[in-house]
């Protein structure tokens, strides 16, 4: 698998405030290093629904100036790191339903991220431990789910 489907949580981690626990700052640093490393390989993909999750979160920021800084930061990051965009196809939604039927605990947005990776033949890059640790899901859908390190 050459391509890597980036989950919204990896991008969102980069937007978090710096004054957090040491563990969270380390996670943020690792996500940042991953994003810049993926820029060298040009293998990074983010789906429009995942990008929508990112923008929805940014849009919820009350301070307009801070919100605009975050929007610009994400737009610059995506361009600078050559992350391409993908859109789900009909078969992606079929697979997402199969994922939810396979594991009833997976939320719809997560099922769609998994299905996007499956149908594009990409690895899913996420910090969501529910997905990273779900080896049954990986086996069932012949998918690699890994952290951005």
């Amino acid at each position: 698998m050459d391509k890597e489907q980036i989950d919204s949580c990896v991008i969102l981690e980069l937007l978090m405030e710096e004054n957090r626990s040491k563990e969270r700052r380390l996670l943020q640093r690792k996500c940042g290093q991953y994003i810049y490393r993926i820029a060298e390989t040009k293998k990074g993909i983010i789906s429009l629904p995942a990008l929508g999750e990112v923008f929805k979160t940014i849009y919820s920021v009350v301070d307009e100036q801070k919100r605009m800084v975050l929007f610009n930061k994400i737009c610059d990051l995506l361009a600078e790191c050559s992350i391409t965009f993908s859109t789900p196809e009909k078969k992606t939604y079929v697979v997402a339903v199969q994922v939810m039927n396979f594991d009833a605990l997976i939320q719809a947005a997560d099922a769609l991220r998994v299905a996007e990776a499956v149908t594009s033949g990409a690895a899913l890059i996420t910090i969501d431990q529910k997905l990273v640790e779900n080896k049954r899901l990986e086996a069932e859908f012949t998918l690699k789910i890994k952290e951005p390190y």
Side-chain angles (χ1 to χ4, degrees), residues 31-137:
C31 287
Q33 289 169 344
Y34 166 77
I35 291 296
Y36 286 102
R37 190 171 53 250
I38 202 76
E40 295 172 8
T41 64
K42 299 185 190 265
K43 295 180 185 179
I45 305 166
I46 189 165
S47 70
L48 292 182
L51 195 57
E53 290 178 36
V54 172
F55 285 143
K56 179 182 175 188
T57 301
I58 294 172
Y59 191 72
S60 69
V61 173
V62 177
D63 182 311
E64 184 178 352
Q65 184 176 3
K66 185 174 181 181
R67 185 173 57 239
M68 292 311 297
V69 167
L70 293 173
F71 271 125
N72 288 332
K73 183 177 180 180
I74 289 302
C75 291
D76 291 347
L77 179 81
L78 294 172
E80 185 179 325
C81 295
S82 302
I83 296 172
T84 58
F85 304 114
S86 66
T87 56
E89 299 174 2
K90 184 176 181 178
K91 65 183 177 181
T92 308
Y93 293 102
V94 171
V95 173
V97 170
Q98 293 170 347
V99 169
M100 289 186 291
N101 288 337
F102 177 75
D103 188 336
L105 298 177
I106 292 183
Q107 295 178 357
D110 290 337
L112 187 55
R113 291 301 85 72
V114 168
E116 289 162 348
V118 168
T119 58
S120 69
L124 176 60
I125 309 303
T126 184
I127 57 174
D128 185 337
Q129 292 303 302
K130 296 183 314 276
L131 294 174
V132 171
E133 296 171 358
N134 196 333
K135 300 305 176 194
R136 285 182 52 241
L137 186 66

